[in-house]
Coordinates of all heavy atoms in Angstrom, one line a residue:
Q39 N -3.6 4.0 9.5 CA -3.9 2.8 10.3 C -4.1 1.6 9.6 O -3.6 0.5 9.9 CB -5.3 3.1 11.1 CG -5.2 4.2 12.1 CD -4.4 3.8 13.4 OE1 -4.5 2.6 13.8 NE2 -3.7 4.7 14.0
L40 N -4.8 1.7 8.4 CA -4.9 0.5 7.5 C -3.6 0.0 6.9 O -3.4 -1.2 7.0 CB -6.0 0.8 6.4 CG -7.4 1.1 6.9 CD1 -8.2 1.7 5.7 CD2 -8.0 -0.1 7.5
Y41 N -2.8 0.8 6.5 CA -1.5 0.4 5.9 C -0.6 -0.2 6.9 O 0.1 -1.2 6.6 CB -0.8 1.6 5.1 CG -1.6 2.2 4.0 CD1 -1.2 3.4 3.5 CD2 -2.7 1.5 3.5 CE1 -2.0 4.0 2.4 CE2 -3.4 2.1 2.4 CZ -3.0 3.3 1.9 OH -3.8 3.9 0.8
R42 N -0.5 0.4 8.0 CA 0.4 -0.1 9.0 C -0.1 -1.5 9.6 O 0.7 -2.3 9.9 CB 0.6 0.9 10.2 CG 1.4 2.1 9.8 CD 1.5 3.0 11.0 NE 2.2 2.5 12.0 CZ 2.2 3.0 13.3 NH1 1.4 4.1 13.6 NH2 2.9 2.5 14.3
R43 N -1.4 -1.6 9.6 CA -2.0 -2.9 10.1 C -2.0 -4.0 9.2 O -1.8 -5.2 9.5 CB -3.4 -2.5 10.6 CG -4.1 -3.7 11.3 CD -3.9 -3.8 12.8 NE -4.5 -5.0 13.3 CZ -5.7 -5.1 13.7 NH1 -6.5 -4.1 13.6 NH2 -6.2 -6.3 14.2
Y44 N -2.2 -3.7 7.9 CA -2.5 -4.8 6.9 C -1.5 -4.8 5.7 O -1.7 -5.6 4.8 CB -3.9 -4.6 6.4 CG -5.0 -4.7 7.4 CD1 -5.7 -3.6 7.8 CD2 -5.1 -5.9 8.1 CE1 -6.7 -3.7 8.8 CE2 -6.1 -6.0 9.1 CZ -6.9 -4.8 9.5 OH -7.8 -5.0 10.4
T45 N -0.4 -4.1 5.8 CA 0.6 -4.2 4.7 C 2.0 -4.1 5.3 O 2.2 -3.7 6.5 CB 0.5 -3.1 3.7 OG1 0.7 -1.8 4.3 CG2 -0.9 -3.0 3.0
K46 N 3.0 -4.4 4.5 CA 4.4 -4.3 4.9 C 5.0 -3.3 3.9 O 4.5 -2.9 2.9 CB 5.1 -5.7 4.7 CG 4.5 -6.8 5.5 CD 5.3 -8.0 5.4 CE 4.9 -8.7 4.0 NZ 5.6 -10.0 3.9
R47 N 6.2 -2.9 4.3 CA 7.0 -2.0 3.4 C 7.1 -2.6 2.0 O 7.4 -3.8 1.8 CB 8.4 -1.8 4.0 CG 9.3 -0.9 3.2 CD 10.7 -0.8 3.9 NE 10.6 -0.1 5.1 CZ 10.8 1.2 5.3 NH1 11.2 2.0 4.3 NH2 10.8 1.8 6.5
N48 N 6.9 -1.9 0.9 CA 7.0 -2.2 -0.4 C 5.9 -3.2 -0.9 O 5.9 -3.7 -2.1 CB 8.4 -2.9 -0.8 CG 9.5 -2.0 -0.6 OD1 9.5 -0.8 -0.9 ND2 10.6 -2.6 0.0
D49 N 4.9 -3.3 -0.1 CA 3.7 -4.0 -0.6 C 2.9 -3.1 -1.6 O 3.0 -1.9 -1.5 CB 2.7 -4.3 0.6 CG 3.0 -5.7 1.3 OD1 3.9 -6.4 0.8 OD2 2.4 -6.0 2.3
L50 N 2.2 -3.8 -2.5 CA 1.4 -3.0 -3.5 C -0.1 -2.9 -3.1 O -0.8 -3.9 -2.8 CB 1.5 -3.7 -4.8 CG 0.7 -3.1 -6.0 CD1 1.1 -1.7 -6.2 CD2 0.9 -4.0 -7.2
I51 N -0.5 -1.6 -3.1 CA -2.0 -1.3 -2.8 C -2.6 -0.9 -4.1 O -2.2 0.0 -4.8 CB -2.0 -0.1 -1.8 CG1 -1.3 -0.5 -0.5 CG2 -3.4 0.3 -1.5 CD1 -1.0 0.7 0.4
L52 N -3.8 -1.5 -4.3 CA -4.7 -1.1 -5.5 C -5.9 -0.5 -4.9 O -6.6 -1.0 -4.1 CB -5.0 -2.4 -6.3 CG -6.1 -2.1 -7.4 CD1 -5.7 -1.0 -8.3 CD2 -6.5 -3.3 -8.2
N53 N -6.1 0.8 -5.3 CA -7.3 1.5 -4.9 C -8.2 1.7 -6.1 O -8.0 2.4 -7.0 CB -6.9 2.9 -4.4 CG -8.0 3.6 -3.7 OD1 -9.2 3.2 -3.6 ND2 -7.7 4.9 -3.3
I54 N -9.3 0.9 -5.9 CA -10.3 1.0 -7.0 C -11.4 2.0 -6.6 O -11.8 2.1 -5.4 CB -11.0 -0.4 -7.2 CG1 -10.0 -1.4 -7.8 CG2 -12.2 -0.3 -8.2 CD1 -10.5 -2.7 -8.1
F55 N -11.8 2.8 -7.6 CA -12.7 4.0 -7.3 C -11.8 5.2 -6.7 O -12.4 6.1 -6.1 CB -13.9 3.8 -6.5 CG -14.7 2.6 -6.9 CD1 -14.7 1.5 -6.1 CD2 -15.4 2.7 -8.0 CE1 -15.6 0.4 -6.4 CE2 -16.2 1.6 -8.3 CZ -16.3 0.5 -7.6
G56 N -10.5 5.1 -6.8 CA -9.6 6.0 -6.2 C -10.0 7.4 -6.1 O -9.8 8.2 -7.0
N57 N -10.7 7.8 -5.0 CA -11.2 9.2 -4.9 C -10.7 9.9 -3.6 O -11.3 10.8 -3.1 CB -12.7 9.2 -4.9 CG -13.3 8.3 -3.8 OD1 -12.7 8.0 -2.8 ND2 -14.5 7.9 -3.9
S58 N -9.5 9.4 -3.1 CA -8.9 10.0 -1.9 C -7.4 10.3 -2.1 O -6.6 9.4 -2.3 CB -9.1 9.0 -0.7 OG -8.4 9.5 0.4
K59 N -7.1 11.5 -2.1 CA -5.8 12.0 -2.3 C -4.9 11.5 -1.2 O -3.7 11.1 -1.4 CB -5.6 13.4 -2.5 CG -4.2 14.0 -2.8 CD -4.2 15.4 -3.1 CE -2.9 16.0 -3.5 NZ -2.8 17.5 -3.7
S60 N -5.4 11.5 0.0 CA -4.7 11.1 1.2 C -4.3 9.5 1.2 O -3.3 9.1 1.8 CB -5.4 11.4 2.5 OG -6.7 10.7 2.5
A61 N -5.1 8.8 0.4 CA -4.7 7.3 0.3 C -3.4 7.1 -0.3 O -2.6 6.4 0.1 CB -5.8 6.6 -0.5
E62 N -3.1 7.9 -1.4 CA -1.9 7.8 -2.1 C -0.7 8.5 -1.3 O 0.4 7.9 -1.2 CB -2.0 8.5 -3.5 CG -0.6 8.4 -4.3 CD -0.8 8.9 -5.7 OE1 -1.8 9.6 -5.9 OE2 0.1 8.8 -6.4
E63 N -1.0 9.6 -0.7 CA 0.0 10.3 0.1 C 0.5 9.5 1.2 O 1.7 9.4 1.5 CB -0.6 11.6 0.6 CG -0.9 12.7 -0.5 CD -1.6 13.9 0.0 OE1 -2.1 13.8 1.2 OE2 -1.6 15.0 -0.6
E64 N -0.4 8.8 1.9 CA 0.0 8.0 3.1 C 0.8 6.8 2.6 O 1.7 6.3 3.3 CB -1.2 7.6 3.8 CG -0.9 7.2 5.3 CD -0.3 8.4 6.1 OE1 -0.8 9.5 5.8 OE2 0.5 8.0 6.9
A65 N 0.4 6.2 1.4 CA 1.2 5.1 0.9 C 2.6 5.4 0.6 O 3.6 4.7 1.0 CB 0.5 4.5 -0.4
I66 N 2.8 6.6 0.0 CA 4.1 7.1 -0.3 C 5.0 7.3 1.0 O 6.1 6.9 1.1 CB 4.1 8.3 -1.2 CG1 3.5 8.1 -2.5 CG2 5.5 9.0 -1.3 CD1 3.2 9.3 -3.3
K67 N 4.3 8.0 2.0 CA 4.9 8.3 3.2 C 5.4 7.0 3.9 O 6.5 7.0 4.6 CB 3.9 9.0 4.1 CG 4.4 9.3 5.5 CD 3.3 10.1 6.3 CE 3.7 10.3 7.8 NZ 2.6 10.9 8.5
L68 N 4.6 5.9 3.9 CA 5.0 4.7 4.5 C 5.7 3.7 3.6 O 5.8 2.5 4.0 CB 3.7 4.1 5.1 CG 2.9 4.8 6.1 CD1 1.6 4.1 6.5 CD2 3.8 5.0 7.4
N69 N 6.2 4.1 2.5 CA 6.9 3.3 1.6 C 6.2 2.1 1.1 O 6.7 1.0 1.0 CB 8.3 2.8 2.2 CG 9.2 4.0 2.6 OD1 9.6 4.7 1.7 ND2 9.4 4.2 3.8
R70 N 4.9 2.3 0.7 CA 4.1 1.3 0.0 C 4.0 1.6 -1.5 O 4.0 2.8 -1.8 CB 2.7 1.2 0.7 CG 2.6 0.2 1.9 CD 3.4 0.6 3.0 NE 3.1 -0.2 4.2 CZ 3.8 -0.2 5.3 NH1 4.9 0.5 5.4 NH2 3.4 -1.0 6.3
L71 N 3.9 0.6 -2.3 CA 3.6 0.9 -3.7 C 2.1 1.1 -3.8 O 1.3 0.5 -3.1 CB 4.1 -0.3 -4.5 CG 5.6 -0.6 -4.4 CD1 5.9 -1.9 -5.2 CD2 6.5 0.4 -4.9
Y72 N 1.8 1.9 -4.8 CA 0.3 2.3 -4.9 C -0.1 2.6 -6.3 O 0.7 3.3 -7.1 CB 0.1 3.6 -4.0 CG -1.3 4.2 -4.0 CD1 -2.2 3.8 -3.1 CD2 -1.6 5.1 -5.0 CE1 -3.5 4.3 -3.1 CE2 -2.9 5.6 -5.1 CZ -3.8 5.3 -4.1 OH -5.1 5.8 -4.0
F73 N -1.2 2.2 -6.7 CA -1.8 2.7 -7.9 C -3.4 2.6 -7.8 O -3.9 1.8 -7.0 CB -1.3 2.0 -9.3 CG -1.8 0.7 -9.6 CD1 -2.8 0.5 -10.5 CD2 -1.3 -0.5 -8.9 CE1 -3.2 -0.8 -10.8 CE2 -1.8 -1.8 -9.2 CZ -2.8 -1.9 -10.2

């Protein structure tokens, strides 16, 4: 929901305190860059 609402394809997401595996999985699925 968050990625589709607040990002575009190939946008870069920075997850600080990254403690959710699904955060990265969903970014890859929706063609977002992630670290």
